[in-house]
Amino acid sequence: MASYNIGILGGDGIGPEVMREGLKVLKAVADVEDFSYDLIEYPYDSEHYIKTKELVPDSVIDEWRTLDAFLLGAIGHPDVEPGLVERSVILGLRFGLDLYINLRPIKLYAEHLCPLKGKGPADVDFTVVRENTEGMYSQIGGHLKKGTPDEVAIVNGVYTWKGCERASRYAFELAQKRAADRGGDHKPQVTLVDKANAVRPQDIWTRAFASVAKDFPDIATDHAYVDAACMWMIKNPEWFDVIVTTNLFGDIVTDLAAMLQGGMGIAASGNIHPGRTSMFEPIHGSAPKHAGKNVACPLGMVSSVQMMLDFLGETSAAARVETAMADLLGSGDIPSADARSGIGTSEMGDMVVERLRPD
Ligand code: IPM
Ligand code: MG
């Protein structure tokens, strides 16, 4: 029986609550499928920082590289300088483990969750491949004459051929896999989203994407500038299959896209380096105003657990979690995937677990 070492960090705000439900689902699915796991819990949330002033030490990043996978709840605390703990934990994982793909599936399970008029599950089913280690997140830049009227702030967008190439390749391979899974008349397509008209150096993406596309003659290619892509996502989400884009644009368009599938409460992500330790987290933040009230929607976390199982090769367990979620959402028992659903965080976790068990 396969066994996995999984690092966990509940984090701030609603993070620990949704993590509990994700782990509840993991345990329940492990009971009916053929795998086991050990959890290694890490303390590096913002409360830990407030108490100890300690951020994630390099030695711990080294330890994380030896795990099979990592689950993260959420990071972000009103009493800590914005971005400090996020950079340490989230970017520590993404950059430290070279998790160069941020995979964000956008899949609508039930029409009532979609805010778009006349769109249903057949229209909203695409995946965003967000480059995850470069771009405007590269932390190269700084301030000059800070705090004076002459202040200058510079941030560099870093795009390497290697980064654009490997993200594009992942997107094409994913399109191939989606076509194989869906069969029938599903036509695979990869859309490059950038802003290479105004930000000319982004044409490195245009060229890297085109060079990878040559290896995938059966996959259609498309291109949209990021502003237009936002418009198309609302107008015709069914046009998208796989999107590949830069780190910052991927961050932005996936909040928008998450709304199409029911909101931030349900959107999941995988921070992936194929074949290496990878990290899975809901895309929502720590939502301090909802923390500790048992109102946060845990489905983004549950779906992140599903993505982790799929990544670990536990495809039957992953499918079981997805089916349970799809059944639950399809039943109409969940009016919305957010804090106003009227269903408690732990109760929603229980509802998923009930549907996991074979009858
Ligand atoms: C996300 C988040 C992070 C990001 C923040 C918390 C640093 O918004 O995962 O989408 O910008 O990547
Ligand atoms: Mg974001």
Side-chain angles (χ1 to χ4, degrees):
M1 188 183 359
S3 182
Y4 304 102
N5 286 323
I6 302 171
I8 54 168
L9 205 172
D12 304 329
I14 61 170
E17 289 165 70
V18 297
M19 177 66 83
R20 261 196 299 279
E21 302 316 305
L23 295 179
K24 193 192 266 180
V25 169
L26 180 62
K27 179 169 185 319
V29 76
D31 286 348
V32 290
E33 294 277 347
D34 198 27
F35 71 93
S36 66
Y37 60 89
D38 288 307
L39 298 176
I40 303 106
E41 190 165 3
Y42 292 94
Y44 304 104
D45 56 25
S46 297
E47 296 286 353
H48 177 81
Y49 175 75
I50 292 168
K51 270 189 236 128
T52 64
K53 291 283 167 287
E54 184 191 36
L55 294 167
V56 183
D58 288 349
S59 59
V60 169
I61 301 262
D62 290 340
E63 187 179 315
W64 286 350
R65 288 194 191 98
T66 68
L67 299 167
D68 294 302
F70 200 99
L71 282 174
L72 179 64
I75 300 287
H77 194 291
D79 301 337
V80 179
E81 177 196 320
L84 185 69
V85 183
E86 289 90 325
R87 283 199 303 280
S88 169
V89 175
I90 305 178
L91 300 190
L93 278 156
R94 291 179 186 168
F95 295 175
L97 276 61
D98 194 30
L99 306 178
Y100 63 89
I101 297 299
N102 196 324
L103 188 63
R104 299 191 159 186
I106 305 297
K107 186 166 177 179
L108 176 65
Y109 288 103
E111 189 165 337
H112 71 279
L113 298 177
C114 184
L116 300 182
K117 199 164 53 182
K119 300 290 180 191
D123 304 302
V124 180
D125 179 11
F126 62 91
T127 294
V128 179
V129 174
R130 164 184 175 188
E131 197 292 320
N132 210 28
T133 53
E134 306 188 338
M136 301 287 273
Y137 281 64
S138 64
Q139 313 293 312
I140 296 180
H143 296 84
L144 184 66
K145 302 184 187 175
K146 193 167 181 177
T148 76
D150 296 328
E151 177 165 350
V152 179
I154 292 183
V155 58
N156 289 290
V158 174
Y159 309 104
T160 66
W161 184 267
K162 176 180 168 182
C164 302
E165 214 269 350
R166 64 186 180 173
S168 299
R169 188 165 299 281
Y170 188 94
F172 279 92
E173 283 169 359
L174 178 67
Q176 237 168 11
K177 181 172 181 300
R178 282 170 57 91
D181 291 348
R182 281 160 181 74
D185 53 7
H186 176 87
K187 294 206 174 43
Q189 173 183 282
V190 184
T191 305
L192 171 64
V193 168
D194 60 39
K195 192 66 191 175
N197 53 351
V199 185
R200 266 322 275 154
Q202 280 192 0
D203 86 315
I204 188 174
W205 272 97
T206 319
R207 288 177 285 114
F209 179 85
S211 93
V212 174
K214 287 199 194 104
D215 295 338
F216 298 87
D218 299 336
I219 299 182
T221 60
D222 198 4
H223 171 259
Y225 294 122
V226 64
D227 46 350
C230 291
M231 182 267 291
W232 292 124
M233 261 180 210
I234 302 297
K235 196 170 180 303
N236 295 101
E238 66 279 7
W239 285 359
F240 294 110
D241 181 22
V242 174
I243 290 174
V244 62
T245 190
T246 71
N247 204 342
L248 182 62
F249 294 160
D251 177 50
I252 298 167
V253 301
T254 52
D255 270 27
L256 175 76
M259 296 315 292
L260 306 179
Q261 65 178 147
M264 299 299 278
I266 198 173
S269 72
N271 295 257
I272 292 172
H273 186 125
R276 292 204 209 159
T277 313
S278 294
M279 183 270 272
F280 300 83
E281 55 171 346
I283 81 166
H284 62 65
S286 59
K289 68 175 177 200
H290 297 313
K293 297 184 182 152
N294 195 40
V295 295
C297 178
L299 295 179
M301 190 76 229
V302 170
S303 181
S304 302
V305 167
Q306 174 211 323
M307 291 182 77
M308 177 185 79
L309 290 168
D310 195 49
F311 170 82
L312 290 171
E314 296 297 335
T315 47
S316 149
R320 193 184 286 277
V321 174
E322 183 173 20
T323 305
M325 277 209 351
D327 280 359
L328 177 60
L329 293 165
S331 71
D333 291 350
I334 307 279
S336 62
D338 57 25
R340 291 184 312 276
S341 71
I343 300 166
T345 309
S346 64
E347 288 70 25
M348 213 182 281
D350 292 342
M351 290 166 100
V352 176
V353 166
E354 275 160 29
R355 286 169 170 79
L356 281 175
R357 305 201 172 272
D359 355 76

